[in-house]
């Protein structure tokens, strides 16, 4: 997924609960610190509650008016219930790792976010497995570049490339599939704006949104 514009600076992540964040071009990313042993179900419930608690005051609504729904294999959807009418124009994407959960909201359209926890031991013996994943799922140029990364930077570089790919897929509503030079598409892929997230080690994350008129390729 290389039709993208890279943002030069990391996008802020607001720790929640905390001060109500201001949208940056309509985009907000919040993070919740979780116990490493917390179950995925607990983390999902916690981040979804946080989205409703954060969006309610921001939009002048109660948390109860913010409806989050999802189906297996599909991204969660935000629906705003006002006067019996559902508005589903706000984009939502969620990602979890042990110790941290993220929710990315786009007030003006689709969005994708992905998160990885980088192993602290740079000499981990799974590097060959990660290279195989890169060759299967990422663009050849990206996989080739990863193969040349210095050993101490390998896992960080892989996490940055992989989360950018996954965030792009989520923003476009696509599922992970092996790389193909020209995947069959009914409509051309939208150009995306890709931004690394400002996260503490050992986490690496990326957010993807549709590129706006202020962006240039």
């Amino acid at each position: 997924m290389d039709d993208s514009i890279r943002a030069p600076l990391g996008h802020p992540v607001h720790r929640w609960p905390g001060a109500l964040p201001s949208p940056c071009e309509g985009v907000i990313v919040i993070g919740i610190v979780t116990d490493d042993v917390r179950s995925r179900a607990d983390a999902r419930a916690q981040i979804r509650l946080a989205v409703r608690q954060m969006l309610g005051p921001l939009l002048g609504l109660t948390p109860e008016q913010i409806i989050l729904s999802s189906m297996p294999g599909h991204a969660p959807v935000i629906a705003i219930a006002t006067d019996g009418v559902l508005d589903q124009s706000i984009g939502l994407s969620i990602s979890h790792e042990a110790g941290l959960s993220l929710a990315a909201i786009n007030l003006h359209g689709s969005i994708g976010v992905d998160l990885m926890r980088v192993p602290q031991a740079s000499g981990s013996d799974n590097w060959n497995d990660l290279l195989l994943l890169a060759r299967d799922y990422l663009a050849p140029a990206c996989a080739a570049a990863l193969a040349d990364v210095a050993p101490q930077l390998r896992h960080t570089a892989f996490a940055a490339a992989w989360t950018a790919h996954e965030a792009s897929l989520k923003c476009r509503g696509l599922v992970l599939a092996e790389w193909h030079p020209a995947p069959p598409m009914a409509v051309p892929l939208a150009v995306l704006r890709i931004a690394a997230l400002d996260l503490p080690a050992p986490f690496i994350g990326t957010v993807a949104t549709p590129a706006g008129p202020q962006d240039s390729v």
Side-chain angles (χ1 to χ4, degrees):
M1 315 302 289
D2 50 10
D3 288 336
S4 60
I5 297 166
R6 298 279 168 168
L9 300 175
H11 193 287
V13 176
H14 303 275
R15 183 164 178 171
W16 192 264
L20 189 66
S22 297
C24 177
E25 298 180 357
V27 174
I28 300 171
V29 182
I30 60 172
I32 293 181
V33 175
T34 62
D35 296 333
D36 287 358
V37 297
R38 184 180 293 273
S39 73
R40 186 67 168 250
D42 286 345
R44 286 177 71 252
Q46 190 176 1
I47 195 69
R48 286 167 181 251
L49 176 61
V51 168
R52 295 170 59 226
Q53 291 174 332
M54 185 274 296
L55 269 183
L58 187 68
L59 300 177
L61 303 170
T62 66
E64 290 72 28
Q65 290 175 291
I66 312 295
I67 301 169
L68 271 63
S69 61
S70 63
M71 296 175 59
H74 296 271
V77 175
I78 293 176
I80 309 299
T82 54
D83 299 325
V85 178
L86 292 183
D87 178 356
Q88 296 180 313
S89 61
I90 298 177
L92 172 65
S93 184
I94 293 173
S95 189
H96 302 282
E97 276 284 7
L100 182 65
S101 292
L102 297 179
I105 299 100
N106 184 0
L107 299 178
H108 308 306
S110 62
I111 194 166
V113 71
D114 198 57
L115 174 69
M116 284 190 71
R117 184 169 180 158
V118 180
Q120 292 301 283
S122 59
S124 298
D125 58 6
N126 67 335
W127 180 241
N128 287 336
D129 294 335
L130 294 180
L131 274 183
L132 287 175
L133 280 176
R135 289 165 183 157
D136 285 342
Y137 292 97
L138 305 181
C142 180
L146 286 173
D148 291 334
V149 172
Q152 67 272 22
L153 301 176
R154 284 174 173 173
H155 288 81
T156 297
F158 175 85
W162 189 267
T163 58
H165 182 63
E166 286 269 30
S168 298
L169 291 173
K170 291 178 180 180
C171 186
R172 288 169 168 150
L174 302 176
V175 297
L176 182 64
E178 291 191 4
W179 186 86
H180 190 282
M185 297 294 296
V187 295
L189 292 176
V191 176
L192 301 182
R193 186 174 189 268
I194 307 296
L197 295 174
D198 186 6
L199 291 170
F203 299 103
I204 297 288
T206 305
V207 62
T209 54
Q214 74 279 8
D215 296 308
S216 58
V217 179

